[in-house]
């Protein structure tokens, strides 16, 4: 067509002629390089009219067959990786044993063993006492530590080091020899013919320090299996300062691995104000604990003395008591009552049956017709004096 006096039809023909010249030059260059013209021909129709191939749709049977093939390949790859990891682990174990033999190191870690227990098969109970756990003789003192290999200061670390350097040396040497892992129990010699069991169950992270209950259970299981053949040994553990829930779980583990195996177990509450040189039972604690300023105070009347007298750390009034708590109690109040009843050698049941000796409830009328004969119904206010 013509536009502003120019015939654009002629330009179209010129473009076609230029394309033909390019194709001719391509054929000529191929022939000059001694390449077979029949094998290297340029098909302009295929160049211009290329079409994309469509994907083949598989039938359900073919898809299943392909999936089975992929599963086999993945399984073979996993087995290959597992074999490589096992080979690497055995090589590392061989190098560690070789290093131990060359240096004369003997591992203090107890072998991992699973202990089957029945909490109803033993008549023993955990004995709660006040005193210094490091003064025990002919027993095993439990101490929780992490896997860093750095012996700490303060608390049980300093208390143990005051009597013997053996636990610290054993702990640090185990780290140097690559023999310190979570869930292990290292049994070391200590003063007074006793031993110290280092339970590697503490984890440190960004959120702070926490008690790993799984590692604690593994360590206690190994120690329980070892102490089965040592009938004369008893277990002594300080009240570790973690959260209340963690401590209740730790108490359950002590019952599971020691009390159920008829191994005498004691938990120690350390009191700086205690004037007694040795451990004493919590049930035998005096009703009043003297303070530093007692001598400076004026003498009070008997009524004032009774009203202001500090309570004992734990009362023995719950001994041999089986208590049921009213579900309508506030959760925080029920938790406090349950804690002190258990610590005072009492027992708390989650259901009401004929074994219950006491019921704690604000409304006694709800239980008058449902409790067994002889069961006492107490108000939480009557128990509050034990918790102060």
């Amino acid at each position: 067509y013509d536009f502003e006096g120019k015939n654009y039809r002629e330009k179209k023909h010129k473009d076609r002629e230029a394309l033909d010249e390019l194709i001719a030059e391509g054929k000529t260059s191929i022939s000059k390089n001694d390449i077979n013209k029949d094998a290297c021909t340029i098909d302009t129709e295929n160049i211009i009219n290329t079409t994309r191939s469509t994907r083949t749709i598989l039938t359900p049977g073919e898809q299943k067959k392909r999936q089975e093939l992929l599963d086999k390949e993945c399984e073979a790859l996993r087995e290959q990786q597992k074999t490589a990891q096992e080979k690497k682990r055995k090589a590392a174990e061989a190098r560690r044993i070789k290093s131990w033999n060359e240096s004369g190191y003997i591992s203090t870690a107890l072998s991992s063993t699973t202990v089957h227990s029945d909490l109803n098969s033993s008549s023993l109970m955990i004995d709660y006492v006040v005193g210094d756990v490091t003064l025990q003789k002919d027993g095993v003192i439990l101490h929780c530590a992490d896997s860093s290999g750095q012996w700490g200061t303060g608390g049980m670390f300093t208390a143990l080091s005051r009597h013997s350097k053996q636990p610290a040396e054993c702990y640090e040497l185990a780290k140097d020899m690559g023999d310190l892992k979570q869930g292990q129990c290292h049994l070391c010699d200590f003063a007074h013919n006793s031993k110290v069991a280092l339970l590697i169950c503490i984890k440190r992270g960004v959120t702070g320090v926490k008690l790993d209950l799984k590692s604690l259970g593994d360590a206690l299981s190994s120690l329980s299996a070892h102490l089965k053949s040592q009938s004369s040994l008893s277990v002594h553990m300080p009240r570790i300062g973690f959260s209340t829930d963690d401590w209740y779980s730790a108490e359950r583990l002590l019952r599971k691995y020691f009390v159920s195996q008829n191994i005498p177990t004691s938990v120690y509450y350390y009191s700086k104000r205690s004037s007694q040189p040795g451990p004493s039972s919590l049930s035998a604690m005096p009703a009043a604990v003297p303070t530093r300023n007692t001598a400076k105070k004026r003498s009070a009347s008997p009524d004032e003395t009774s009203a202001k007298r500090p309570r004992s750390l734990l009362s023995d009034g719950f001994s041999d008591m089986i208590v049921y708590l009213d579900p309508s109690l506030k959760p925080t109040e029920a938790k406090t009552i349950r804690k002190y009843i258990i610590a005072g050698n009492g027992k708390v049941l989650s259901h009401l049956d004929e074994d219950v000796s006491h019921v704690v409830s604000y409304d006694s009328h709800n239980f008058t017709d449902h409790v067994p004969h002889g069961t006492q119904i107490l108000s939480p206010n009557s128990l509050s004096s034990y918790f102060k």
Side-chain angles (χ1 to χ4, degrees):
Y1 60 93
D2 295 334
F3 180 72
E4 295 182 355
K6 183 182 289 187
N7 188 358
Y8 286 93
R9 295 178 184 273
E10 296 178 358
K11 188 174 181 180
K12 181 178 179 180
H13 293 297
K14 291 181 180 180
D15 293 339
R16 183 65 185 180
E17 292 175 358
L19 178 61
D20 293 338
E21 290 178 0
L22 291 174
I23 294 174
E25 290 178 0
K27 292 180 178 181
T28 303
S29 61
I30 293 174
S31 61
K32 287 182 179 180
N33 292 329
D34 298 330
I35 298 177
N36 189 356
K37 295 182 180 180
D38 296 334
C40 300
T41 57
I42 299 177
D43 190 353
T44 57
E45 294 182 359
N46 291 336
I47 293 176
I48 298 173
N49 300 323
T50 56
T51 57
R52 199 168 80 180
S53 59
T54 58
R55 185 176 63 179
T56 304
I57 300 177
L58 300 178
T59 62
E62 292 174 340
Q63 292 179 359
K64 183 178 180 181
K65 187 176 181 180
R66 173 177 289 187
Q67 186 63 39
E68 292 177 353
L69 182 61
L70 290 175
D71 293 341
K72 289 182 180 179
E73 293 178 355
C74 293
E75 184 65 23
L77 181 60
R78 284 193 293 267
E79 288 294 333
Q80 184 179 359
Q81 293 177 347
K82 185 178 180 180
T83 303
Q85 292 176 356
E86 184 66 17
K87 184 178 179 180
K88 185 177 180 180
R89 186 191 65 80
K90 289 182 178 180
E93 184 71 17
R95 289 194 300 268
R96 184 166 61 252
I97 293 177
K98 182 180 178 181
S99 176
W100 291 358
N101 294 333
E102 292 176 354
S103 59
Y105 171 74
I106 299 177
S107 177
T108 57
L110 301 179
S111 59
S112 178
T113 308
T114 302
V115 176
H116 301 282
S117 60
D118 183 8
L119 296 178
N120 298 324
S121 62
S122 175
S123 59
L124 294 179
M125 296 184 66
I126 298 178
D127 186 21
Y128 297 89
V129 297
V130 171
D132 190 351
V133 68
T134 60
L135 298 179
Q136 294 309 306
K137 298 181 180 180
D138 300 325
V140 178
I141 302 172
L142 307 186
H143 177 47
C144 299
D146 59 13
S147 58
S148 65
Q150 298 179 358
W151 190 259
T153 57
M156 276 292 293
F157 291 98
T158 302
L160 292 173
S161 299
R162 188 180 296 117
H163 297 279
S164 173
K165 302 296 183 182
Q166 186 68 20
E169 295 174 356
C170 172
Y171 177 71
E172 294 171 352
L173 180 60
K175 179 62 177 180
D176 294 339
M177 303 306 296
D179 191 26
L180 203 60
K181 300 178 182 178
Q182 287 288 331
Q184 284 184 331
C185 176
H186 289 260
L187 196 61
C188 313
D189 292 331
F190 190 61
H192 315 301
N193 295 326
S194 59
K195 295 180 179 295
V196 170
L198 299 176
L199 311 177
I200 313 303
C201 58
I202 304 297
K203 285 189 175 181
R204 299 180 183 271
V206 180
T207 57
V209 182
K210 67 175 182 178
L211 177 66
D212 186 6
L213 295 175
K214 182 180 182 303
S215 299
L216 177 61
D218 295 340
L220 293 179
S221 178
S222 302
L223 180 60
S224 176
H226 175 75
L227 294 181
K228 273 187 175 181
S229 59
Q230 310 290 333
S231 58
S232 61
L233 291 181
S234 56
V235 173
H236 307 270
M237 183 178 188
R239 166 60 162 89
I240 52 180
F242 289 89
S243 66
T244 304
D245 293 338
D246 284 345
W247 174 242
Y248 285 158
S249 300
E251 282 185 317
R252 286 194 292 270
L253 291 176
L254 291 177
R255 293 187 179 95
K256 177 180 179 180
Y257 293 113
F258 297 128
V259 176
S260 65
Q261 305 299 322
N262 293 319
I263 300 174
T265 306
S266 300
V267 172
Y268 287 73
Y269 287 78
Y270 181 72
S271 175
K272 294 182 179 179
R273 297 180 298 176
S274 178
S275 59
Q276 300 179 7
S280 60
S281 174
L282 286 177
S283 59
M285 287 289 293
V289 180
T291 60
R292 185 176 300 175
N293 299 325
T294 302
K296 299 180 181 180
K297 294 183 179 180
R298 63 178 179 86
S299 59
S301 63
D303 294 338
E304 292 177 345
T305 304
S306 176
K308 296 181 179 180
R309 178 183 299 150
R311 298 291 177 180
S312 61
L313 296 179
L314 290 175
S315 174
D316 62 343
F318 303 117
S319 180
D320 300 329
M321 288 177 55
I322 302 177
V323 184
Y324 173 76
L325 302 181
D326 189 354
S328 62
L329 294 176
K330 294 181 179 180
T332 55
E333 187 177 26
K335 184 176 181 180
T336 302
I337 295 174
R338 181 183 294 107
K339 177 176 66 175
Y340 281 94
I341 290 175
I342 294 175
N345 291 331
K347 187 176 182 181
V348 179
L349 296 184
S350 59
H351 56 280
L352 184 62
D353 58 16
E354 59 183 7
D355 295 331
V356 174
S357 61
H358 295 78
V359 174
V360 179
S361 175
Y362 282 110
D363 190 359
S364 60
H365 299 288
N366 292 339
F367 295 92
T368 303
D369 299 331
H370 301 85
V371 297
H373 179 70
T375 301
Q376 299 182 26
I377 302 177
L378 305 177
S379 172
N381 295 329
S382 63
L383 301 175
S384 60
S385 59
Y386 294 110
F387 311 144
K388 296 180 180 179

